[in-house]
Amino acid sequence: MAAVIAVTAVGSNAPTTVPPAVSAPGGSVSERGPGGASPQAVQLLTRIAAVAASTSAPQVRDDQYIYIASQVYGASKKIGADGDGAKAQYNDDGTGATHPRQAWFSVNGSRDGLLTGPLNPGFRAGEGDVNLGKNTKPSLQLPTYTYLASLPTDPDALLTAVYAQNTGVDKNLNSDQEAFQTIGDALRESLMPPQIGAALYKAAAKIPGVNVVDDAVDASGRHGVAVSQDHGNQRTEWIFDKDKLTYLGERTVLINDDSAGGKAGRILVSTAVTERAVVDKAGQKPSPGTAT
């Protein structure tokens, strides 16, 4: 499962192709530093962490829910007409519509969560609502607010916990890439306690291969600066407002042309967080002016 956040209404037909990341203004992708994140990434993540730490902690009860609203896009593929063994091709040209997604997660995982919209980017919204069930074994990939609040605020200790949660399921990722993905999972669809959010950004600054992309676009069409990491022929980017340094969304793009007909810069997955809030019941939307 994935998710996202902000307060302004966004369109559902934002462009989902961009120029190749390597040709973005200003050199696009920063150079990797020796043995770790690039100096530009360390500097940016340090600033982002300071912003996260300065936010007000929400008032949250165990019997409440974290509400996340977002726009999502995912490229889907189809097998060619030749049947088994035929080359996969994308179902659209990269300009497909985004879809709204709303999710409600129990603060401590003891109550059933609820989803309206695609289960994941790339899947069409189903009929009606989806019961997500309880979350009795939370992790950084699928956290509860209570779980996040229990994590260490020391970046080194937190990074140790991140690496310890690497699942090894995706054989295409090394341990550093999986650590970056794990933190991204935690950031994408949760309401983050301020000190934990700050610690996660500082931890990400210690991961090898983390860089900066000068210009990236989320699923609602908002431009921002991104913290990125390459894995194979793909680049995953966490996108932040260039001025406020607040989280906007995440996307994954192709680095080079691929065998399914995708061109360099094609967006594979994109999200835009449009709203985050604490509410009393699953299915309830926040009152105007109460979301972040």
Side-chain angles (χ1 to χ4, degrees), residues 18 29 33 47 69 75 107 111 130 146 168 188 226 249 257 280 285-286 292:
V18 294
V29 182
R47 294 171 58 208
V107 165
R111 293 168 173 78
V130 177
T146 301
R188 187 174 54 249
D257 296 356
D280 292 332
K285 295 182 180 180
T292 59

Side-chain angles (χ1 to χ4, degrees), residues 137-223:
K137 296 181 179 180
S139 66
L140 283 164
Q141 289 88 355
L142 191 61
T144 63
Y145 185 87
T146 301
Y147 172 81
L148 290 170
S150 73
L151 293 171
T153 57
D154 175 74
D156 290 311
L158 188 52
L159 190 60
T160 297
V162 168
Y163 276 88
Q165 289 197 23
N166 284 356
T167 62
V169 171
D170 190 338
K171 302 303 181 183
N172 296 316
L173 302 180
N174 63 34
S175 60
D176 298 326
Q177 293 163 344
E178 193 166 2
F180 186 81
Q181 299 289 335
T182 294
I183 293 177
D185 288 341
L187 296 172
R188 187 174 54 249
E189 198 161 49
S190 60
L191 183 63
M192 193 65 62
Q195 296 304 317
I196 299 301
L200 281 171
Y201 291 126
K202 291 178 180 179
K206 299 173 181 289
I207 299 176
V210 175
N211 299 299
V212 171
V213 176
D214 295 331
D215 186 54
V217 186
D218 73 7
S220 69
R222 297 174 297 188
H223 286 256

Side-chain angles (χ1 to χ4, degrees), residues 17 20 73-78 87-94 231-235 252-269:
T17 55
Y73 165 82
S76 57
K77 293 181 180 180
K78 60 183 177 182
K87 185 173 69 173
Q89 296 288 324
Y90 293 105
N91 273 319
D92 61 44
D93 61 2
H231 46 99
N233 190 33
Q234 299 179 12
R235 174 173 296 122
T252 299
V253 301
L254 287 178
I255 299 172
N256 300 298
D257 296 356
D258 73 358
S259 60
K263 301 298 182 182
R266 190 196 204 283
I267 295 177
L268 302 178
V269 177

Side-chain angles (χ1 to χ4, degrees), residues 29 38-39 44 46 107 122 171 175 215 248 256 271 281 284:
V29 182
S38 70
L44 177 58
T46 300
V107 165
K171 302 303 181 183
S175 60
D215 186 54
L248 297 180
N256 300 298
T271 61
K281 298 182 296 183
Q284 179 185 12

